Amino acid sequence: MKKYDADYVSNIIAGVEKRNPGEPEFHQAVKEVLTSIEKVIEARPDYVDAGIVERIVEPERFVQFRVAWVDDKGEVQVNRGYRCQFNSAIGPYKGGIRLHPSVNASIIKFLGFEQIFKNSLTGLPMGGGKGGSDFDPKGKSDGEVMRFCQAFMNELYRHIGADTDVPAGDIGTGSREIGYMFGQYKKITNEFTGVLTGKALPSGGSLARPEATGFGLCYFTDEMLKAAGRSFEGAKVVISGSGNVATFAAVKATTLGGKVIAMSDSSGYIVDENGVDIDLVMNIKKNRSARISEYVNTHKDAKFIPDCRAIWTVPCDIALPCATQNELDAAGAKALVKNGAFAVAEGANMPSTPEAIEIFKENKILFAPAKASNAGGVATSGLEMSQNSLRLSWSFEEVDSRLHGIMVNIFKNASEAAEKYGAKGDLVVGANIAGFTKVADAMLWQGIM
Ligand code: NDP
């Protein structure tokens, strides 16, 4: 029988590093979760006996496949596709599809691993998964994107299903890409089912799904701020990114009384002290190839700085990193602290490096970790699945109010779990523990597999 000792967790982390060489993002995500749930593992010998931790860090299934398609010049292009079905203890695998040149096995595994705990936190019955490809939709014609998505689905369809694995959007995968993938799945299987979320409304999509991650982020942040006697009211807000999550976070932060003064894309950031014109940003970025620098053509008081990582040097009260992993490092964290920021809430997945999180802790900055604060997107995907099963569609207000309730609950559960394990106010610890225990209990109940 296995026993817990001081080296138990570090040995498992070392094992993950050895079995998954050259996958730094995956190692980072595993380390962050395991080190913060140590107290639970120590207190639960039944988890140790059943090898819960050793099993939870190993994907149940990891598929890699060739995606061959023909571009507009008639030339054959080959990309690599992935689907990681990480954990199905509490429901069908669920997680987005990322289309970006940086996609590799490490990125997909880190995202799939995070998704397990995030989905658990929503309180909905969804397991964890993630997929994607190194295909870059930027600069591609509609026809090329369609042919790629169809080719991608020609393999993916074997592995997914409304009760098996339900993918959704992520970086590079919006409504257009989901539409092409959904059409191809329907064509191949001759089935109209809720196999993907983020669908357009006439095909069974949910109202408020596009808004959900950004809105949910602000609902969560609002709870965190209230608990600390603060609010969005009158706060200067800096948001990285200008895609789905960033733009809807900007809309909600403004509704809650904040003033968004800076946003970015991978080419740089804009600062507009008058308050960013969010409709204009959305309009510019409708075209995936467009650059945010276009903003200053019509807003002469605004400035464009061609260095996306430097956005954190813009003095603000609240920072919402909503672009990509590891975009907020120690230098960014130090700049935020120096300029008096009081809260950081993650919209993107793992946007803050471990060093940055340490700096926030040391300086008592309120910090909302992604798996809690950006869970609104997948939660609303869960609500889309419910509507599809019921053959019903709810109003925007109904979905938004359920989303709000879910985010309030996630905050409550994460705060309570942190307090229970002696880490009051530490939402990283609280979110990891609350997400982990539900999945661990389900794995325990289902036996060794
Ligand atoms: P989008 O593709 O809609 O937008 C991504 C945005 O980030 C683009 O504006 C992109 O700019 C920008 N960007 C990429 N890299 C950088 C960088 N290094 N610095 C600044 N900006 C950058 O993606 P989403 O908004 O959907 O996703 C953003 C993040 O949120 C990801 O981490 C994703 O995993 C996470 N997330 C998304 C959910 C969703 O519902 N969509 C749900 C939960 C999490 P450019 O145009 O130059 O590439």
Side-chain angles (χ1 to χ4, degrees):
M1 192 182 285
K2 263 189 207 143
K3 283 253 181 319
Y4 177 84
D5 62 28
D7 297 329
Y8 182 72
V9 163
S10 52
N11 283 341
I12 295 177
I13 294 170
V16 168
E17 289 172 353
K18 197 167 167 212
R19 272 205 313 281
N20 303 275
E23 299 186 358
E25 293 84 3
F26 181 43
H27 303 167
Q28 183 183 337
V30 167
K31 201 167 175 186
E32 190 254 354
V33 171
L34 296 201
T35 49
S36 68
I37 59 170
E38 257 195 285
K39 283 196 173 153
V40 183
I41 304 167
E42 191 180 355
R44 293 292 301 262
D46 50 345
Y47 287 173
V48 178
D49 276 356
I52 297 290
V53 187
E54 290 88 337
R55 286 192 282 140
I56 214 167
V57 297
E58 186 66 25
E60 290 175 14
R61 195 170 295 106
F62 185 85
V63 194
Q64 180 188 307
F65 48 96
R66 182 177 70 203
V67 186
W69 56 282
V70 180
D71 69 17
D72 286 347
K73 291 188 238 128
E75 283 173 22
V76 174
Q77 299 291 335
V78 178
N79 287 101
R80 187 170 279 183
Y82 302 91
R83 187 71 186 165
C84 178
Q85 299 180 326
F86 223 119
N87 192 295
S88 60
I90 62 167
Y93 310 104
K94 178 95 197 87
I97 291 172
R98 179 173 289 191
L99 299 181
H100 194 271
S102 64
V103 165
N104 57 31
S106 175
I107 299 281
I108 297 298
K109 282 189 207 164
F110 119 65
L111 289 165
F113 184 69
E114 290 282 296
Q115 200 80 43
I116 305 171
F117 309 101
K118 181 190 308 195
N119 293 4
S120 164
L121 280 170
T122 66
L124 300 172
M126 300 181 291
K130 198 81 188 188
S133 171
D134 57 0
F135 172 80
D136 187 358
K138 256 192 228 132
K140 304 288 189 303
S141 70
D142 258 0
E144 289 176 323
V145 170
M146 183 177 75
R147 290 193 294 281
F148 167 81
C149 290
Q150 292 174 340
F152 184 74
M153 188 52 80
N154 283 345
E155 172 62 31
L156 189 69
Y157 89 95
R158 295 173 216 285
H159 310 287
I160 63 176
D163 293 316
T164 308
D165 182 356
V166 185
D170 191 72
I171 292 179
T173 308
S175 177
R176 172 182 64 166
E177 291 76 16
I178 292 288
Y180 294 144
M181 290 181 197
F182 183 78
Q184 187 70 357
Y185 181 87
K186 186 168 66 69
K187 176 90 182 159
I188 299 171
T189 60
N190 199 25
E191 271 179 12
F192 192 113
T193 58
V195 66
L196 291 160
T197 57
K199 300 185 289 298
L201 288 180
S203 297
S206 174
L207 285 162
R209 176 60 187 91
E211 291 83 353
T213 310
F215 278 23
L217 168 66
C218 292
Y219 293 148
F220 186 95
T221 308
D222 199 34
E223 289 305 298
M224 177 176 79
L225 295 174
K226 275 196 280 185
R230 303 265 194 177
S231 84
F232 269 107
E233 200 57 56
K236 283 190 175 183
V237 184
V238 164
I239 303 182
S240 62
S242 45
N244 173 268
V245 180
T247 51
F248 285 110
V251 169
K252 189 52 82 177
T254 308
T255 315
L256 292 171
K259 187 181 190 187
V260 178
I261 55 162
M263 294 186 77
S264 62
D265 66 15
S266 58
S267 62
Y269 69 93
I270 51 154
V271 187
D272 187 344
E273 292 287 347
N274 300 321
V276 171
D277 178 345
I278 302 158
D279 287 339
L280 175 60
V281 171
M282 282 177 166
N283 243 326
I284 294 171
K285 298 299 289 188
K286 248 188 220 156
N287 171 0
R288 282 202 185 276
S289 305
R291 301 292 81 207
I292 201 166
S293 51
E294 281 180 33
Y295 185 93
V296 299
N297 297 344
T298 48
H299 286 62
K300 299 293 178 199
D301 290 346
K303 274 189 292 195
F304 172 72
I305 293 92
D307 176 4
C308 58
R309 291 190 87 83
I311 190 171
W312 312 117
T313 60
V314 178
C316 67
D317 302 305
I318 301 172
L320 304 177
C322 294
T324 195
Q325 64 275 354
N326 292 327
E327 52 162 317
L328 204 180
D329 59 10
K334 282 183 192 152
L336 286 169
V337 169
K338 179 168 153 263
N339 290 325
F342 58 75
V344 176
E346 298 185 323
N349 284 311
M350 207 168 77
S352 315
T353 63
E355 297 75 26
I357 297 173
E358 215 32 63
I359 291 167
F360 298 144
K361 266 194 196 163
E362 281 162 13
N363 290 279
K364 309 235 171 326
I365 305 276
L366 300 170
F367 179 69
K371 64 173 75 65
S373 50
N374 78 14
V378 73
T380 308
S381 278
L383 300 178
E384 182 174 330
M385 289 163 74
S386 305
Q387 294 169 78
N388 293 162
S389 301
L390 294 165
R391 304 275 197 270
L392 280 176
S393 43
W394 298 327
S395 66
F396 186 96
E397 290 68 27
E398 171 142 24
V399 179
D400 189 38
S401 126
R402 284 176 191 256
L403 166 65
H404 185 256
I406 289 170
M407 299 314 294
V408 169
N409 250 326
I410 295 177
F411 177 74
K412 185 170 165 283
N413 292 341
S415 306
E416 287 174 1
E419 194 165 354
K420 182 172 168 193
Y421 284 93
K424 190 166 187 244
D426 187 334
L427 293 171
V428 175
V429 170
N432 284 335
I433 290 178
F436 169 76
T437 43
K438 182 174 164 191
V439 177
D441 288 341
M443 288 172 73
L444 204 57
W445 180 69
Q446 289 171 23
I448 313 288
M449 60 182 76

